[in-house]
Amino acid sequence: MPSHPHAATLGNQYRGDRVLLSWLARNLPRPVFEAIDTDLDALGAHAARAWTEARSCSPSEPILTRFDAWGERIDRIESTPVWQRGAALSARYGLVAAGHDATHGEFSRCDQFARVYLHHVASEFYTCPLAMTDGAATALKASANQALIERAVDRLTSRDPTRLWLSGQWMTELTGGSDVSASETRARLDEHGQWRLHGRKWFTSALIGDMALTLARPQGACDGADALALFYLETHDDSGRWNGIRVDRLKHKLGTRELATAEIHLDGALAIPVGGLERGVRLIAPMLNVTRTWNAICALATMRRCIALATSYAHQRVAFGRRLIDHPLHAATLADMQADFEAAFQLVFHVAHLLGRSECGIADDHEKALLRLLTPLAKLWTGKLAVRIASETCEAFGGAGYIENTGIPQLLRDAQVFPIWEGTTNVLALDALRAIGSVGLQPLLRAGDRLLAESLQAPASGELVPAIEAIRHALQRAAEWLQHNSTDPDALQAGARGLGYTLARTLAAALLVRHAVAVIGENGERRPSHALLRFIARGLTDLSATEKMPAVDLLDPPSN
């Protein structure tokens, strides 16, 4: 079927991605870049094909069959065709394995996340269980539980699709989402001295996987988060039957509909403690660092896809006698989207590199502290930014952007999950405050100062001096705001979101200015510097003044 003359088209999403190619060329050693180029090219070509194929067929969603023909409860989940091919593609291209492969050392995470970035949109959110699988492998390795490491990690990081395991991360309950202290799942010892889990998990993804990590309160434990233990369980027993798991229903969600998200009951599920029988939340921390970075990478991938489609459409669609791209206001709108994306890209891939350095054991204390600060900041900012860019993309397509089978509305529906998964924007903002309380703001300020000083030393920095000063001023304002409110916990919390946006945007700008002056010097490329100037022109800071009247006083009480 021929495409509509105005339909947006995609070429190879690797070869056509100037920002990705430039970052890889500048930040990876040449042998690493050359070693991964073929796989990235294949993923870029697959991304373009997958977009076209998705437009030519009806969308599908997973199906839950509770009973077989004879009335026996089976709770079988049938995945979509793309998901059925997910394990083979993930194993072939090492979407989890690359991050745990020592071949590329500190650049292993950069390699991995370049692959994930290219594949995310084509995967129909198969990246969700992959993120949890990566997080589970990371958490198990950090736990020092040798038996579980030997049992599961090689499978979780396998490049063989017949051996590759997927893992869930089952934390959310009706009584406790981000506040896991309210978790009601109980762990009891049976007559054989084995732990059995009983409770309801309200929102579980990757139920089609082979294992999960979940929180439960051991029998006799007191209330509160510290009394929770982290448990490992496999979803099926040796005969292939569910391991004490009952699937109540699949969730009907705003987006990510190809992903089977279920509400389940654990009814005596056999499980093994990952560590001790308390402080299980601490064992989750290595997992969250990884899954939050996946979230930011996938948000970034969504931004890139939105901009690629909107730009393609603007070059084809004619309105008022000219192509959309020839209308200055429309071109400026797309340019603003691109500028935000380029800044976000620099921040997220910098976090990926820091994660790789930390895991390789070569990060110094300053870099470890910076990673602790930047992980929640990158996630909170990119999650909201992806929604805004996806919404702007719907508008850029006009009426076509509101029609389901163009694929554009799905980008917006799916993007809305990024500010929710792995901690909402407010939860991440408060986590960033805790990070500042733990390691201070100095690691971020030092990183910004060093990036700006390095940029000023470059021969091509002259035209960007005003931008550099604006970034320096924004860092100073953030530090002053934090100091001014340091003795008022309520003011700190009320302004945490704005502080998070400010710190994320400002360090992203510092990273972008370093990149911009470098590429000007190397080949005269000025698009990154233009992106930087547009990005800064719309402001870096979002710092609220201390309010004497509590915000809640502005809100009407609920009417009954």
Side-chain angles (χ1 to χ4, degrees), residues 2-14:
S3 63
H4 190 279
H6 292 153
T9 58
L10 295 176
N12 185 303
Q13 290 299 283
Y14 170 56

Side-chain angles (χ1 to χ4, degrees), residues 552-560:
V552 72
D553 287 358
L554 183 64
L555 306 176
D556 295 328
S559 57
N560 296 319

Side-chain angles (χ1 to χ4, degrees), residues 399-412:
Y402 208 65
I403 303 301
E404 279 290 345
N405 61 359
T406 64
I408 306 305
Q410 183 177 351
L411 291 168
L412 176 58

